[in-house]
Amino acid sequence: MDPHQFVDAQGMPIGDHTTQVNHHVLPRQPLTRAHLTDLDPVAAARRLLREDVDEAAVLLASIAPDEAVPLLQRLLATDEARTVAVLCSMHRGKAAALIRRLRADTEWIGDLPDAVTEIRAAHATARALLGDESGPVEPHPAPPPLRAFRLPCARGAVYWHRSARPVAVPEPIDGYYLAAGGPGGRLGLPVGAAADGSLVTFDGLEVEGDDWVVVESPAGVFTTTVSRLEVPGMWGAPVTEIVTRGDGTLQRFEYADIHSDGAGGHIAVDETVRAFLGRGGAHRRPVGPAAPPVRSAYGQRGFWQDFGPPDDPVTVYVADGLRPIELGQPMQEAYVRAGGPEGWLGFPRGRSYTRWVIDKRHDPFQYEGGVIVAGADGEPTAVPTDLYRAAVSADLGPPVGEVQRLGAADDLAQFFAGGAVTVRGSRTQTWVERGSPA
C-alpha cells in the first residue's frame, strides 16, 4: 500500500511531513521583597544568591532588619564571597547596621565596612601600579577566626587585615602569593611593600628572627629575607628559593650564594668563587663571611673567604682581573705570616714557578710581589720576586729563613741553602756560601 495515497485536510500526504512541537518556557518571575519574606531563610538565601549582586543588595536592604539578619546569616554560611560582594554593593550605613546584629560566630564580618573604605583609599593611591578594579572585595582565610579582605585589580590586588594597614601587592607577586595559600598560607599576611612593587614584606615564616619578603627578579618571583638582600656587596636578586643545606640554608642570587648558619647569620659567596668551587669543590662550604674588599700595595683590589670542611680548609682569593686562587694549608699560613694581600706579597696570581715544589698539591705560587716556595726544611717560605730570581739564577737552593729587613725600609736580605741574596736600593747581590759576592 502506498502511504502517500492518504492526505490530510490540507492536502498533505499523511506520514510525509514532520510534526513540529513548540516548547514555551515561561520567564522566571523577578524576585520581589514579598517573595523573599514568604520563603524560609534557607530557600530565600538560595534564591537570593542567584540574583545579580546589585539586585540582591537592593532586596536585602529593603526588608526589615529582623527578617534580613537571619537571611544574611544563612547567606554567609552558604557563600561568604558572594555575601561580601552583596554587602559591598549596599549603602555602607545599612550594611553596617545589619552586620552589627549578626551572631558572634560571624564576628569577622564586622571588619568589612572599615576594610572596604580603607581598601578603596589604598587602591586610589596605587591605581597606577595595580590598574582598575577587576572584581568585588573578597574574604580570604587568615589566622582564625578572622578574615583578610582582598580587592582584585587588573595587575594585582589590595589586601586588608585588622592587624595591618592595606597593602598593594602587584603581579606577578600576587599570583605567587595566592599560589602559596594567600593570607592563610605559609607567607602569612602582607604588611608592607616597596613603592615600585618590586618587594612585598610578609609576617609569616618567622624563622631566624628575620623579616620575610617576596621579590620579583629576572629569574621569577622568590621568597627571601631582608637580611639576605642587605648582605654587604651588590649580590643582585635571588634566582632560586631558599633550600635547607646541612644545619643552615642556601639561596642563590645573581652574583652570589647566600648561606645561613641557622641562627640568622648570613655568608655570601661571590659568583667568581662559586664558579671556582664548582670545579670539583661542591663539598665545600663557607666557614666565615667574605672579608671586606682591600687594595694591595700594587693597586689590585680584591677579597678572600675561608671554606671547609674543617679537616681540609682552603682560602679562596679573588682580585680584579685575576682568576680565583685557592690556597690550602700550609700555604695559607705562610701567606698570612707575610702580611696577606695587604703585605708585600699582594694578591696571589697563580702557579707559575716550578722550582722547590712544596708537595704535589702546593706548587710554588706567584704573588704580585713574590713567591711562596718550600724552604730547606720543607715548610712554605715567602721570597720577594727579585730575591727569588737571583737565587734561582745562582742555584742557591731553597730558602732557609724568612726575608729580613735591613736598615732602610726597602733593603732586604734572605738566606738560602747555598748562600744569600741582598737588595740595597736598586742593587741586587748574590752571596755564595763562603760569604763573598758572587
Side-chain angles (χ1 to χ4, degrees):
M1 178 181 295
D2 183 2
H4 294 87
Q5 63 182 306
F6 299 99
V7 297
D8 59 16
Q10 284 75 37
M12 295 294 294
I14 296 174
D16 196 39
H17 66 280
T18 302
T19 302
Q20 180 176 347
V21 178
N22 294 320
H23 297 279
H24 298 282
V25 180
L26 296 176
R28 188 179 69 178
Q29 293 298 315
L31 184 63
T32 65
R33 176 180 177 278
H35 292 148
L36 198 61
T37 55
D38 285 343
L39 299 172
D40 69 85
V42 175
R46 187 164 52 245
R47 183 70 173 82
L48 196 61
L49 288 172
R50 295 202 298 268
E51 296 295 311
D52 175 79
V53 168
D54 291 338
E55 292 177 2
V58 170
L59 285 168
L60 189 61
S62 68
I63 61 179
D66 288 345
E67 296 173 321
V69 169
L71 178 54
L72 181 58
Q73 201 84 47
R74 175 53 56 180
L75 287 171
L76 281 171
T78 305
D79 191 332
E80 285 184 0
R82 183 79 170 173
T83 305
V84 166
V86 170
L87 289 170
C88 287
S89 294
M90 194 181 296
H91 183 275
R92 186 182 189 278
K94 180 68 175 181
L98 291 176
I99 288 171
R100 283 195 296 269
R101 298 183 59 172
L102 292 174
R103 294 195 311 263
D105 60 355
T106 52
E107 181 182 2
W108 63 268
I109 197 68
D111 291 332
L112 182 61
D114 289 341
V116 171
T117 299
E118 294 180 24
I119 282 174
R120 296 200 186 285
H123 176 250
T125 302
R127 186 184 297 274
L129 179 66
L130 300 178
D132 294 333
E133 299 178 22
S134 61
V137 173
E138 311 164 339
H140 278 257
L146 302 178
R147 302 289 190 279
F149 293 98
R150 176 180 184 268
L151 176 66
C153 302
R155 296 187 298 275
V158 178
Y159 289 85
W160 183 98
H161 187 265
R162 63 164 60 176
S163 66
R165 62 183 177 81
V167 178
V169 181
E171 288 290 3
I173 294 178
D174 186 48
Y176 176 94
Y177 180 45
L178 291 176
R186 63 182 180 86
L187 294 175
L189 298 164
V191 293
D196 62 357
S198 61
L199 177 153
V200 180
T201 306
F202 293 87
D203 66 1
L205 294 178
E206 294 181 358
V207 180
E208 303 173 355
D210 213 340
D211 290 329
W212 289 80
V213 296
V214 171
V215 297
E216 181 182 2
S217 84
V221 179
F222 302 100
T223 302
T224 189
T225 63
V226 170
S227 62
R228 282 181 172 87
L229 296 175
E230 294 175 347
V231 170
M234 298 302 292
W235 305 126
V239 297
T240 69
E241 293 287 9
I242 300 171
V243 297
T244 301
R245 183 173 181 181
D247 296 330
T249 59
L250 168 68
Q251 185 168 29
R252 178 153 291 181
F253 281 63
E254 289 178 282
Y255 310 119
D257 287 348
I258 308 297
H259 297 254
S260 168
D261 59 9
H266 298 298
I267 299 170
V269 181
D270 183 83
E271 180 186 29
T272 51
V273 176
R274 180 175 71 206
F276 184 72
L277 292 177
R279 185 170 51 84
H283 67 289
R284 297 204 173 278
R285 291 193 61 186
V287 296
V294 299
R295 194 171 296 279
S296 74
Y298 308 92
Q300 195 74 267
R301 185 178 182 275
F303 70 95
W304 63 94
Q305 188 163 10
D306 295 325
F307 292 83
D311 59 349
D312 186 23
V314 299
T315 302
V316 177
Y317 290 86
V318 181
D320 296 338
L322 300 176
R323 65 179 182 86
I325 301 297
E326 177 183 348
L327 298 184
Q329 302 296 328
M331 181 71 75
Q332 168 66 5
E333 295 175 357
Y335 185 38
V336 171
R337 287 197 304 271
E342 296 178 277
W344 58 267
L345 278 172
F347 278 100
R349 301 177 64 88
R351 294 180 175 92
S352 62
Y353 291 85
T354 57
R355 298 290 295 270
W356 309 323
V357 173
I358 297 174
D359 59 40
K360 290 183 179 179
R361 193 171 160 223
H362 299 111
D363 290 338
F365 264 74
Q366 179 186 6
Y367 296 76
E368 291 182 277
V371 297
I372 294 180
V373 297
D377 58 0
E379 293 297 320
T381 304
V383 183
T385 299
D386 291 344
L387 276 66
Y388 179 76
R389 288 174 177 169
V392 170
S393 178
D395 197 19
L396 295 182
V400 296
E402 303 288 347
V403 64
Q404 300 176 25
R405 298 286 176 183
L406 301 177
D410 294 333
D411 292 349
L412 306 174
Q414 191 160 16
F415 290 90
F416 297 82
V421 179
T422 59
V423 174
R424 292 183 181 274
S426 60
R427 184 182 180 189
T428 301
Q429 287 183 289
T430 303
W431 305 80
V432 297
E433 191 174 30
R434 289 189 298 274
S436 59

